[in-house]
Amino acid sequence: MGPWNRALSVLGGRHIIVALGAMYVAVATARAVVRITSGIPFGNVFITSVLIAGPGVVLLVVGYRLLSFDIRTEFYAAIAGWCLGGLGVILGVLVLYSLQPGEIVDSPSTILILTALGSVAGLGAGIYDAEAKTRTRELEQRNRELEAARSELEETIARLEDTNTQLAKSNERLEHYREYTDDVLNAVRDVFYVLEPDGTFQRWNETACEVTGYSDDEIASMTAVEFVEEHNHAVIEDAIREGFETGSLQLETALRTSDGEAIPYEFVASSLETPDGESVLAGVGRDISERVAREHELQQRAQQQCVVAELGQLALETNDLDELMAEATRQVAGVLDTDYCKVLDLDDAGERLVLRQGVGWRDGLVGTETVSAVESASQAAYTLETDQPVVVDDLGTDDRFSGPALLTSHDVHSGISTIIGPVDEPWGILGTHDTDNRSFTEEDVTFVQSVANVLAEAIERGQYQAELEDLVGDLEESNERLEQFAYAASHDLQEPLRMVSSYLQLIERRYGDDLDADGEEFLAFAVDGADRMREMINGLLEYSRVETRGDDLEPVDLEAVLEDARKNLQMKIEGCDAEITAEPLPRVEGDEGQLRQVFQNLLSNAVEYSGEEPPRIHVSAERNGTDWTVSVDDNGIGIEPGAQERIFEVFHRLHGYEDHAGTGIGLALCERIVERHGGDIWVESTPGEGTTVSFTLPAPPN
């Protein structure tokens, strides 16, 4: 057990699953209450809450009922590890997706839904894995029992050898106890035999007659090879010869009875010397039918679990549903040794099922053959209305439904069918059928249901992926239209603004001497308003061009960028007696011009909102995994807690223009630039004590 599983075992794998489910339910409930209270429509809140809480309920229920599963408790930690692994994979995908330029998934609802679904997917995979490990552990335990039985048998043979040696020493004692030993051997339920070198029987017990169905006279006239199938004659001859050469014999083969039945048997023997000096092989044969059947069952269950795991992996690797369905039908038919397997696709109207994929059917039927989904006597309709898999041992005598032409025309007599997807909204049916009357085990039924679940999850994931891609496309198109609108609007405003400014200047030159104090004040207000409007338009233009006019990201020295920003603000810095200190700054992957704008805006804000004391500004950087966190700290007036989340909004200002100049675009522009670099930006502030603005930037690739 690795360190990870040991840690999960200490915490309690089952407790972790329950806690994870409780967390999602609690988060969904709390979030729903907050959003409903804030006036968001109940329908929107309900859908999102169900998508978050639904997987949480699954985790809770399965966690509490885990004790009823056929899983050893020592593997609960592995299940919990799968759950956390599924959650971690989703988080990793979201992080990788967010690292793309201009792309980020910042909706808490989306993150919660995806991680919850990832946890449930990990739970399912963990249960399959734990069940497989449990079956393996049982098989190992059975093998140890068989090994112990074999050792016991070898000890018995050794004791028989000792007994025969003692019998060989005294012919008189052998004769004296012959009748006694015959009674003992006849009482033994295993087959006892003594073979001569040519394979004929010198002795045997009554059990040999009872098992084989041959009389004593018939056995006396037969050789050992006549008790096995003809294709095994050479194997038996080689085993007898090797037994006389090495002194021991051990093999497993099918013992053929007088009525042709083949029974699995294990034979062991040792060479002995009779009182007459003749070498013989004496041993026993034991019926191992139960062991062989159990091993076959365990192998089949292991194979079924392996197929489910392989199909689950294929579902994650391919986006081609038909490829997955074709492989699923092939694997199910192969593992269960059935003649046919099919996937029926329910149409949008819910009236017909199309044979989408399958094996064994006549050429030309796959993709064209249909089955009614609504006829009252239809097996397909019955399956769609049943929340459990439908098992048929004999279609001809089953009174629940009649087989459709697709089955009867192929001489189908038995099979298993189950819905794919939820009972209330099924996607279709998975079925496997055979031309013989067969009884299927619970494990067979569970196997078919598991494969159907894999298909359902793949279909749901494909639908969700398509919806997500459509949503991303819509968002990209919307963002592009917004950028085009912002650029066009701000660009088109430049000409009338220049006209307003020109005419204001003309009025001031021609009529300035004729204006009274109020007129001059009004004219000053108008000029100031035009200047502010120009600044806002220029800021809006710059904001709209972050994505379209930026340079390619490449390694950038932040110390050089900071120095350029300080030079651009030199007059403002000197005019306020500001002091700017900086720790050694790293190289990052970025757009040098845009990063210079970020530093310039943050330093300008720190100077502008310094309060009565001279500005003291400190710039630092700290490595955080593959990113750098850069912070600009000041000793200014600070920001009220309620306003800290709104400062990155476009045109949002915390103070009047008469108190502090600015357009309200600077921090919004910083946020957009940082997001283009795949990072985050945030503020930490205490009113009256200062503000720290931090943002993350990616480190250059090695």
Side-chain angles (χ1 to χ4, degrees):
M1 181 183 294
W4 171 248
N5 282 339
R6 283 198 297 271
L8 293 178
S9 297
V10 171
L11 295 175
R14 183 164 163 262
H15 295 159
I16 292 174
I17 297 172
V18 172
L20 189 59
M23 181 197 72
Y24 279 115
V25 172
V27 169
T29 303
R31 189 174 181 277
V33 171
V34 171
R35 291 173 68 84
I36 291 174
T37 304
S38 63
I40 296 176
F42 175 78
N44 295 343
V45 175
F46 176 76
I47 293 173
T48 304
S49 300
V50 168
L51 290 174
I52 298 172
V57 172
V58 172
L59 293 170
L60 272 173
V61 172
V62 174
Y64 277 113
R65 293 179 56 83
L66 200 56
L67 294 174
S68 63
F69 283 60
D70 187 16
I71 296 174
R72 298 170 73 99
T73 56
E74 63 190 90
F75 298 130
Y76 288 174
I79 299 177
W82 277 92
C83 285
L84 297 177
L87 186 149
V89 168
I90 293 300
L91 288 177
V93 170
L94 292 176
V95 171
L96 288 176
Y97 180 78
S98 298
L99 289 177
Q100 299 180 82
E103 305 291 346
I104 184 168
V105 178
D106 57 358
S107 171
S109 300
T110 302
I111 296 173
L112 288 171
I113 292 171
L114 291 177
T115 55
L117 293 175
S119 300
V120 171
L123 175 67
I127 289 176
Y128 290 136
D129 180 48
E131 287 180 344
K133 291 179 178 178
T134 298
R135 303 290 84 78
T136 301
R137 186 63 56 83
E138 291 177 354
L139 181 60
E140 293 174 351
Q141 183 176 354
R142 179 58 179 168
N143 287 337
R144 288 193 296 269
E145 293 175 355
L146 291 174
E147 188 64 29
R150 177 172 295 176
S151 300
E152 181 180 346
L153 180 61
E154 291 175 351
E155 292 176 1
T156 301
I157 294 173
R159 288 196 295 271
L160 286 174
E161 291 177 354
D162 293 340
T163 301
N164 286 330
T165 301
Q166 294 174 6
L167 290 174
K169 292 180 180 178
S170 174
N171 190 41
E172 293 181 0
R173 292 178 61 191
L174 178 64
E175 293 297 331
H176 178 72
Y177 289 105
R178 180 179 296 275
E179 182 177 352
Y180 172 75
T181 56
D182 285 343
D183 292 340
V184 172
L185 292 174
N186 289 332
V188 176
R189 300 318 302 162
D190 293 335
V191 173
F192 174 78
Y193 58 92
V194 177
L195 290 178
E196 297 182 357
D198 61 358
T200 58
F201 291 91
Q202 188 180 96
R203 293 188 65 189
W204 60 91
N205 60 357
E206 293 179 358
T207 304
C209 297
E210 296 173 0
V211 171
T212 63
Y214 293 106
S215 64
D216 287 331
D217 291 339
E218 289 174 320
I219 292 178
S221 64
M222 300 170 67
T223 63
V225 297
E226 296 179 72
F227 285 90
V228 299
E229 299 292 340
E230 184 174 355
H231 63 272
N232 281 331
H233 284 185
V235 175
I236 300 302
E237 291 173 350
D238 292 341
I240 293 174
R241 181 174 60 256
E242 184 177 349
F244 278 99
E245 293 175 355
T246 63
S248 63
L249 175 150
Q250 180 175 352
L251 81 157
E252 294 181 6
T253 188
L255 180 65
R256 183 177 58 83
T257 64
S258 60
D259 58 3
E261 181 184 2
I263 306 174
Y265 254 76
E266 180 181 52
F267 294 95
V268 293
S270 297
S271 61
L272 302 173
E273 187 174 318
T274 67
D276 298 332
E278 180 184 3
S279 180
V280 296
L281 278 177
V284 294
R286 176 173 295 175
D287 187 346
I288 58 173
S289 299
E290 292 184 3
R291 191 191 81 189
V292 170
R294 178 61 176 168
E295 290 177 350
H296 176 72
E297 179 184 352
L298 291 175
Q299 290 174 354
Q300 188 172 32
R301 293 185 67 178
Q303 185 181 10
Q304 291 174 355
Q305 296 291 343
C306 182
V307 166
V308 172
E310 290 176 355
L311 291 175
Q313 184 64 32
L314 178 60
L316 295 174
E317 294 175 351
T318 182
N319 293 324
D320 189 343
L321 279 177
D322 285 297
E323 176 188 359
L324 177 62
M325 292 175 184
E327 180 64 14
T329 56
R330 186 185 69 80
Q331 292 277 22
V332 170
V335 171
L336 297 182
D337 192 24
T338 52
D339 297 310
Y340 307 102
C341 190
K342 67 179 187 296
V343 172
L344 298 177
D345 184 353
L346 185 64
D347 64 12
D348 294 337
E351 296 181 353
R352 306 295 298 176
L353 289 154
V354 180
L355 180 60
R356 180 161 176 175
Q357 290 295 337
V359 293
W361 312 101
R362 289 194 297 271
D363 292 342
L365 293 183
V366 174
T368 60
E369 183 71 8
T370 61
V371 176
S372 174
V374 295
E375 293 181 3
S376 59
S378 168
Q379 179 182 354
Y382 184 88
T383 302
L384 290 173
E385 295 176 356
T386 307
D387 59 358
Q388 297 293 330
V390 177
V391 182
V392 178
D393 297 329
D394 185 355
L395 185 61
T397 61
D398 201 307
D399 57 2
R400 296 173 294 177
F401 41 73
S402 60
L406 176 64
L407 300 184
T408 56
S409 64
H410 287 79
D411 196 29
V412 167
H413 286 78
S414 60
I416 305 170
S417 61
T418 186
I419 61 174
I420 302 173
V423 177
D424 53 347
E425 293 184 9
W427 182 89
I429 294 176
L430 171 65
T432 185
H433 311 280
D434 201 75
T435 54
D436 295 329
N437 293 339
R438 285 182 54 179
S439 295
F440 294 94
T441 65
E442 292 184 5
E443 289 74 18
D444 296 337
V445 176
T446 301
F447 168 60
V448 174
Q449 183 64 67
S450 298
V451 174
N453 291 340
V454 171
L455 295 178
E457 291 172 1
I459 293 169
E460 182 179 1
R461 185 168 53 253
Q463 293 173 341
Y464 177 78
Q465 183 65 28
E467 294 173 358
L468 183 61
E469 290 176 356
D470 291 342
L471 178 60
V472 170
D474 292 341
L475 289 175
E476 291 177 348
E477 184 178 351
S478 176
N479 287 337
E480 184 177 354
R481 288 198 299 269
L482 287 174
E483 290 178 4
Q484 291 173 350
F485 171 77
Y487 175 76
S490 58
H491 185 271
D492 292 343
L493 287 174
Q494 293 281 11
E495 180 59 30
L497 182 60
R498 280 193 293 269
M499 182 180 294
V500 170
S501 298
S502 297
Y503 277 102
L504 287 174
Q505 293 172 6
L506 183 60
I507 291 173
E508 185 177 12
R509 286 197 303 269
R510 290 189 179 182
Y511 306 105
D513 296 336
D514 299 331
L515 296 175
D516 57 12
D518 289 339
E520 292 178 354
E521 183 180 9
F522 296 156
L523 182 61
F525 285 157
V527 172
D528 181 63
D531 291 340
R532 288 165 55 192
M533 177 64 74
R534 183 181 298 104
E535 291 178 2
M536 294 177 68
I537 291 174
N538 290 334
L540 186 59
L541 275 172
E542 194 170 8
Y543 182 83
S544 67
R545 293 172 175 175
V546 168
E547 296 289 344
T548 58
R549 298 295 181 89
D551 295 332
D552 294 337
L553 302 186
E554 58 185 10
V556 175
D557 185 355
L558 285 186
E559 290 195 351
V561 172
L562 175 61
E563 184 60 28
D564 289 343
R566 293 173 66 172
K567 289 180 180 178
N568 293 339
L569 297 172
Q570 184 174 358
M571 293 184 63
K572 188 172 186 177
I573 294 172
E574 293 177 351
C576 295
D577 193 23
E579 178 183 326
I580 300 176
T581 59
E583 298 178 4
L585 298 181
R587 292 174 64 83
V588 298
E589 188 77 2
D591 180 331
E592 183 175 356
Q594 290 185 346
L595 293 181
R596 184 185 304 111
Q597 184 67 58
V598 170
F599 275 109
Q600 191 166 315
N601 288 353
L602 295 181
L603 293 177
S604 178
N605 283 350
V607 172
E608 178 69 28
Y609 298 97
S610 60
E612 297 180 358
E613 297 294 329
R616 296 294 179 261
I617 305 167
H618 183 69
V619 182
S620 61
E622 180 180 359
R623 186 67 180 260
N624 183 16
T626 58
D627 295 333
W628 283 95
T629 300
V630 182
S631 299
V632 178
D633 179 76
D634 65 52
N635 63 337
I637 62 176
I639 305 171
E640 294 293 335
Q644 292 179 12
E645 294 184 0
R646 304 195 306 273
I647 63 173
F648 294 104
E649 297 177 4
V650 178
F651 297 134
H652 181 78
R653 293 174 51 83
L654 300 180
H655 306 276
Y657 188 81
E658 62 279 2
D659 296 326
H660 295 281
T663 62
I665 296 180
L667 286 178
L669 180 62
C670 290
E671 181 182 49
R672 191 166 175 84
I673 291 174
V674 170
E675 288 178 349
R676 186 203 169 209
H677 287 69
D680 295 317
I681 186 169
W682 64 95
V683 62
E684 298 173 348
S685 180
T686 301
E689 297 183 7
T691 300
T692 300
V693 179
S694 302
F695 56 94
T696 59
L697 295 172
N702 295 331

